[in-house]
Structures are given as structure tokens and as C-alpha cells.
Amino acid sequence: MTPPAVPVRAVLLDVDGTLVSAGRAIPGAVSALSRLRDRGIQIRLLTNIDSRTPETVCRELATAGIEVPVEAVFTPVVAALRFLEQHPAERCHLLLSAELAARFAAHDAGPGRADYVLVGDCREVGGYAQLDAAFRRLMDGARLLALQRGRWWQAADGPSLDTGAFVALLEHASGQTARGFGKPSADFFEMALADLGCVAAEVLVVGDDPETDAAGARTVGAPCVLVRTGKFGSRAGLAGKGHPGVERHPGVAGVIDSIADLPALLESGLGTLGM
Ligand SMILES: [Mg+2]
């Protein structure tokens, strides 16, 4: 890959698997963020967390020792709320965690007619009856909205079903294709770029997931560096250093062991990756 022609002004950082793992800061994450700030590099946390509000994410990060303002936390919740604020008369059937259902209460259709079915983290979904109720809303004409479409995520005790698996279920049954708000949607990345006042060539996307972080970076033409912590490092068949399949994944400019190596990478002008 050709090195960026302009200096990196901002970093779009994934959270789970990149900054934190199982609620704890990944070793070196706090000092890496501090070094980026010292270099005047803006930071946005671009995460697909769809079970909690950005304020909760912010508090959890602070508990892990990572202090960021809530405005720096970009999640599909932020994107979906902006979308719904532009459609104030429309109402949603909510398939969300209790915390997010409360956050989206102003847009809740309740027992009335739903314009949308909004699907997020389904760990608190009761099962067949709740999925079937959402399906019936779709068959009544509601459109399917997905906070994100991740297929699986790396829980502390192993890989777990992610929101996208439930979105696919509802898509298959209804014949609809959902509108997705989180990574890898180009809209989501462009919203973050607009917020930073940067163009894609001025930012570096850093994450642990080729399917969300790297694929999303590619949709806007931003370079992406993967870390070996989190999902990427743990995934069977992709764990080996220098695995050619991932090194060659579209949109991946390079791979570093962890976020701790990011400041040195930026200070080297990305040259250590041979990009
Ligand atoms: Mg991640």
C-alpha cells in the first residue's frame, strides 16, 4: 500500500479487542492514547457496541483507566438516534437491551403501528416469541433497522452470537434487507470523519476485526491497521503472526501486535509496515 500523502491527523479506534478486553485496558493502551494526544492526534472511539449507551461505555472505559469525553465515543446508538431524529413522526418496534430500550423510548411504537423494527444486542431478548413479534411487525410493513450486523463477537469465555445473526434471521424470514448503522457502513465512518473535520486520507482506522474495521475503512478509502489482540488474534486459523490471508485482506494496511505499538507506528510514518 502507498503511504498516506498527508500526516495522520486522527485515529478512529475500535474499543473491544483493541483498547479493552473483558473490561480491562489492554496493556499499553492508556499510555498509547496519551502519546497520541501529545502529538496532537485526534481520537474517536468507533465501536459497534450496541447493548449500552455511549455514556455507559464512557464510564466503563474510565473504570478501566481510559479517560475520554463522551463526545469521542461513536456508536451505532449515536447514528440511529440521529437518523430517528430526522424522522420524528416515525416509531420503532424495539428489539434491544433494556438500557437501550429506555434510551430509544421516545421512538417506541409500543402496541401501536411500527414504521421500523430496530434490532440491537439480543442477549436480553426472550426467545421465539419476541423474535416472532418483531417478524410480524415486518410483515405488517415495518422496515428493518440494524444497529450493527456483526456475526459474532469475542466474549470472555469464547465466541458468541452477535446482532447480525438475529438481523439475518429476520431478513431471511421477511425477505427484507436491513439498513445497518454501525461498522462497516460507510455512513458511519463518514459521520465520524465529518465530526473530526478530516478527510479519509488524514485518518487511520485501528481495530481487531477485518470484517468491520478494515472493511469499513475501505468503504471510505481510509487506511486500516489491525491489532493482534481481541477477535483477530484469537480467531482460529488467523492467529499466527504474518498469516497471509489477513495480511492481504482488502483494506488492511498492516498488522501490529497491540495498541501499545501504535504511537511508534505513527512516529515512523507507517514505514515499519512496509506500506
Ligand atoms: Mg473489536
Side-chain angles (χ1 to χ4, degrees):
M1 177 176 164
T2 307
V6 291
V8 172
R9 290 180 53 211
V11 173
L12 300 178
L13 269 176
D14 175 51
V15 173
D16 277 330
T18 302
L19 270 187
V20 299
S21 179
R24 305 179 109 154
I26 282 173
V30 174
S31 68
L33 289 182
S34 162
R35 278 173 70 185
L36 295 184
R37 287 193 193 100
D38 289 348
R39 292 178 58 80
I41 293 173
Q42 298 186 79
I43 294 162
R44 287 293 180 281
L45 304 188
L46 207 64
T47 164
N48 267 358
I49 293 173
D50 67 341
S51 57
R52 316 188 286 293
T53 64
E55 289 77 9
T56 298
V57 173
C58 210
R59 278 196 300 276
E60 290 170 351
L61 286 170
T63 302
I66 295 170
E67 301 277 356
V68 291
V70 71
E71 295 76 22
V73 179
F74 262 77
T75 79
V77 173
V78 176
L81 285 168
R82 287 191 188 177
F83 172 83
L84 291 170
E85 282 157 12
Q86 289 163 2
H87 301 82
E90 303 197 318
R91 293 289 175 269
C92 301
H93 178 86
L94 303 175
L95 206 59
L96 298 172
S97 65
E99 176 174 331
L100 284 194
R103 182 58 174 267
F104 282 88
H107 307 282
D108 188 354
R113 184 181 176 281
D115 302 287
Y116 302 109
V117 169
L118 178 63
V119 186
D121 185 285
C122 285
R123 280 174 288 175
E124 294 172 18
V125 164
Y128 183 88
Q130 261 187 284
L131 290 165
D132 197 45
F135 165 69
R136 289 182 177 185
R137 294 298 186 98
L138 296 173
M139 296 307 276
D140 284 342
R143 285 158 287 167
L144 185 57
L145 303 178
L147 284 184
Q148 51 99 3
R149 317 185 48 113
R151 295 187 296 158
W152 63 278
W153 64 287
Q154 188 64 37
D157 59 350
S160 290
L161 286 173
D162 203 351
T163 303
F166 296 88
V167 173
L169 179 156
L170 291 168
E171 285 181 325
H172 184 64
S174 68
Q176 290 196 35
T177 300
R179 175 189 175 121
F181 288 104
K183 296 184 283 191
S185 109
D187 288 351
F188 191 54
F189 281 81
E190 278 163 5
M191 187 170 83
L193 290 174
D195 192 61
L196 287 160
C198 289
V199 297
E202 296 171 321
V203 306
L204 182 65
V205 175
V206 181
D208 68 325
D209 190 338
E211 292 179 357
T212 56
D213 301 308
R218 192 159 59 109
T219 66
V220 294
C224 175
V225 167
L226 289 179
V227 293
R228 294 186 192 282
T229 48
K231 186 175 182 178
F232 169 47
S234 65
R235 190 170 177 181
L238 298 180
K241 287 190 177 185
H243 188 283
V246 168
E247 306 287 353
R248 286 202 301 266
H249 193 283
V252 177
V255 180
I256 53 178
D257 282 343
S258 85
I259 183 77
D261 296 332
L262 183 61
L265 177 72
L266 290 171
E267 283 153 20
S268 75
L270 307 184
T272 56
L273 292 170
M275 288 187 280

